């Protein structure tokens, strides 16, 4: 079987697995994938889905976005934006409303500087779930839509 071009994903996974002091079998069990399949990923013979990469990242306690970039699923710029969003959304020192306002400001600055904005840029913060994705917020809780600062 010929090796696939998956941006040194297999080597990176092997290195992360060894750093975590896990055997191939232990990681496969923790990620919920078969041992032979994980071995083929590490050897560059299989290109895993985003879902499998997410499971492996969780088992290794590393960023799934990093694996997505290495697998060619996500580009570096998208990863940076996603990681910025994740850090903001994970901050326990600010409330959900503040997180959404901060994300709106972030998006407006990106737009002002000529970068594409994500699909969430113009979403009403009251209609956004805690993970930052557009959600089905209760309509009675939704206030007037605010424009991002200029």
């Amino acid at each position: 079987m010929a090796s696939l071009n998956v941006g040194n994903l297999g080597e990176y996974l092997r290195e992360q697995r060894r750093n975590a002091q896990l055997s191939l079998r232990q990681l496969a069990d923790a990620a919920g994938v078969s041992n032979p399949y994980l071995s083929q990923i590490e050897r560059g013979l299989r290109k895993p889905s985003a879902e499998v990469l997410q499971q492996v990242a969780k088992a290794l306690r590393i960023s799934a976005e990093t694996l997505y970039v290495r697998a060619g699923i996500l580009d570096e710029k998208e990863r940076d934006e996603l990681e910025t969003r994740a850090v903001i959304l994970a901050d326990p020192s600010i409330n959900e409303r503040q997180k959404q306002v901060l994300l709106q400001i972030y998006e407006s600055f990106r737009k002002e500087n000529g970068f594409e904005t994500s699909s969430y840029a113009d979403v009403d913060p009251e209609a956004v779930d805690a993970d930052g994705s557009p959600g089905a917020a209760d309509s009675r809780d939704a206030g007037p839509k605010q424009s991002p600062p200029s």
Side-chain angles (χ1 to χ4, degrees):
M1 199 182 279
S3 180
L4 299 172
N5 181 14
V6 289
N8 75 356
L9 172 66
E11 293 171 18
Y12 181 77
L13 280 177
R14 182 178 295 117
E15 179 182 319
Q16 294 303 308
R17 177 177 58 78
R18 288 179 177 160
N19 287 343
Q21 298 180 338
L22 294 171
S23 70
L24 191 64
R25 187 171 308 280
Q26 288 170 320
L27 178 57
D29 288 344
V33 298
S34 75
N35 187 38
Y37 182 60
L38 185 58
S39 175
Q40 290 173 344
I41 294 170
E42 281 193 0
R43 291 181 288 140
L45 302 176
R46 296 274 182 186
K47 183 174 181 178
S49 67
E51 182 179 322
V52 168
L53 289 174
Q54 185 174 25
Q55 291 168 230
V56 171
K58 185 176 179 182
L60 287 170
R61 297 182 180 164
I62 61 174
S63 164
E65 287 80 12
T66 299
L67 296 184
Y68 297 159
V69 169
R70 291 191 178 261
I73 296 171
L74 187 68
D75 73 19
E76 195 77 33
K77 291 178 187 173
E78 290 172 320
R79 182 194 72 173
D80 290 345
E81 181 182 356
L82 285 173
E83 286 181 348
T84 300
R85 292 178 145 280
V87 168
I88 292 169
L89 293 169
D91 189 336
S93 67
I94 58 177
N95 66 39
E96 291 306 311
R97 177 72 182 150
Q98 292 167 331
K99 291 175 185 180
Q100 297 311 318
V101 170
L102 187 53
L103 287 171
Q104 283 185 329
I105 293 168
Y106 172 69
E107 291 295 342
S108 70
F109 284 151
R110 286 179 52 82
K111 188 174 184 179
E112 183 178 307
N113 292 333
F115 291 95
E116 285 186 30
T117 57
S118 76
S119 60
Y120 307 137
D122 296 321
V123 172
D124 179 354
E126 295 293 335
V128 175
D129 291 337
D131 67 354
S133 61
D138 191 349
S139 61
R140 70 174 181 251
D141 294 334
K145 183 171 180 177
Q146 295 182 351
S147 299
S150 298

